[in-house]
Amino acid sequence: MEKAHEIKQEMEETHQERETRKAGDFKSVESSMPAVASRIDPTTIADNLSSYLGTHNPWGHPVAATDAVWLLDNTAHRSQTFPHHWQAEFVAAYFLKDSGKDVGSVVADIAEKIGLGAEGKDEKEVESLIKSRVQPFLDAILPARTVKIDFGGPKGDRDIKNLGPAGRNGVSSQTVKISGEHNDKEQIKSEAIMPNDDDVTMVTEFAETEGWGFISDIDDSIKTTLTSSPIGILRTTFAETPKPIPGMPSLYNHISQTLSPTWFYLSASPYNLYPFLHTFISQTYPHGTILLRDSSWLNLAGFIANLTQGTQKYKVDRMQKIHDWVPKRKMICLGDSTQTDAEAYGEIYRKHEGWVKKIYIRKVTDVAEMGKTDKNLDERFEKAFEGVPRDVWMAFEDPNEVYESLDKLMQE
């Protein structure tokens, strides 16, 4: 299964991605990444087999005290079939707590690759950070699990919803109806009903049919990831406190105050990084739904490939889902030049002409590997945005360049 996934991603690799991977010598680093023991719990053979049925699995069963559950924040929207009804996609991930094998060797391998110990760093502190970040990549995933959530209704009026069962990758995803009347931007907190003391919560934000929407890439658009460098990816993901791109928090705060959009953060990162990215965005940027890749693989090389292969097809697919949710919203898209954001945004513009009102691409110039590609050339952007009016898209280096364009957009 994993080999088939690798082949599929390679087939979806674009010219831009091939350039990036060649310039950064990605294959060399990926081939030296440590193998990881099977992440599917070997004691649940029946669950593994029945999980092929996904949420239609009649043999799903509740999480146990030894299990960990993540609930992903989501956006509630009007049903396209019944406009007076609300619904939302609820996503949950299920793991066997602290079940990852060979954690020490994986931590040591990453530490060696990023040059741990240089510049007077506290090695034990960084190793502890690496361990906490890498653990979700190593813990066993739990197919066929279910969980109940208390959808934060008024006191005495509990709205219990059933999520799951999880599919092959230990993730459940389903559209759930939401009762009652709700206002745009309203937020409701839900809590998982767990058999242990774990505090597992999520937030649902409501988005009315019309208004503004904002789709933002994460890596190297609003957070420093160094996506063009495999070692840079490892260092910024596992061994450093996440750093916002200078000027972007202020820009997003301005957008939030002036346009009050519904926010979607779209990344090719795997769902294993959800807590890490959720904490970063919650502390730095406006609240929004984070959409991540839900594929699982059996070695950390797959994590690097996830960020650099098949990203255009993946992002267009996710944006199609957002369009299905809020087709009448006026959308703004922002990404960067390291991946295929320009190509993906150009494609979704042509697919749903009139839905996307503005596209911004941050030209990444502070990563050495970018100088070995044509990713910042005007010709690249002109090709990516073929058929898109020139006043709709804009490439920038300094976030301050965007303010004037946004002010004009508000006046239209």
Side-chain angles (χ1 to χ4, degrees), residues 208-262:
E208 269 293 2
T209 304
E210 297 183 357
W212 287 95
F214 201 103
I215 299 174
S216 173
D217 176 51
I218 297 176
D219 300 297
D220 291 317
S221 293
I222 62 173
K223 169 189 163 294
T224 299
T225 304
L226 307 180
T227 316
S228 297
S229 164
I231 301 303
I233 291 173
L234 293 175
R235 182 183 300 112
T236 58
T237 301
F238 296 112
E240 293 182 352
T241 301
K243 300 181 183 67
I245 299 296
M248 295 306 290
S250 296
L251 175 63
Y252 276 37
N253 182 57
H254 174 76
I255 294 168
S256 184
Q257 291 181 350
T258 55
L259 298 179
S260 189
T262 293

Side-chain angles (χ1 to χ4, degrees), residues 185 212-216 222 247-263 265 285-286 330-334 358 360 396 399 402-407 409-410:
K185 305 298 287 185
W212 287 95
F214 201 103
I215 299 174
S216 173
I222 62 173
M248 295 306 290
S250 296
L251 175 63
Y252 276 37
N253 182 57
H254 174 76
I255 294 168
S256 184
Q257 291 181 350
T258 55
L259 298 179
S260 189
T262 293
W263 293 85
Y265 296 94
Y285 293 102
K330 297 178 289 186
M331 304 303 294
I332 301 171
C333 300
L334 188 145
K358 199 73 178 183
Y360 298 104
F396 68 95
V402 177
Y403 285 87
E404 183 179 351
S405 171
L406 281 170
D407 290 341
L409 193 62
M410 291 176 58

Side-chain angles (χ1 to χ4, degrees), residues 290-308:
I290 304 173
L291 293 91
L292 303 173
R293 271 184 154 172
D294 59 3
S295 55
S296 291
W297 9 256
L298 303 182
N299 61 68
L300 288 177
F303 158 62
I304 298 176
N306 242 38
L307 280 169
T308 56

Side-chain angles (χ1 to χ4, degrees), residues 106-139:
V106 173
V107 170
D109 184 89
I110 293 175
E112 180 184 3
K113 282 182 168 59
I114 66 173
L116 180 61
E119 302 177 1
K121 292 180 181 177
D122 184 330
E123 291 192 22
K124 288 186 177 180
E125 182 179 339
V126 178
E127 285 178 350
S128 176
L129 180 59
I130 295 174
K131 182 179 183 298
S132 67
R133 298 261 181 88
V134 82
Q135 190 77 49
F137 289 84
L138 305 179
D139 284 345

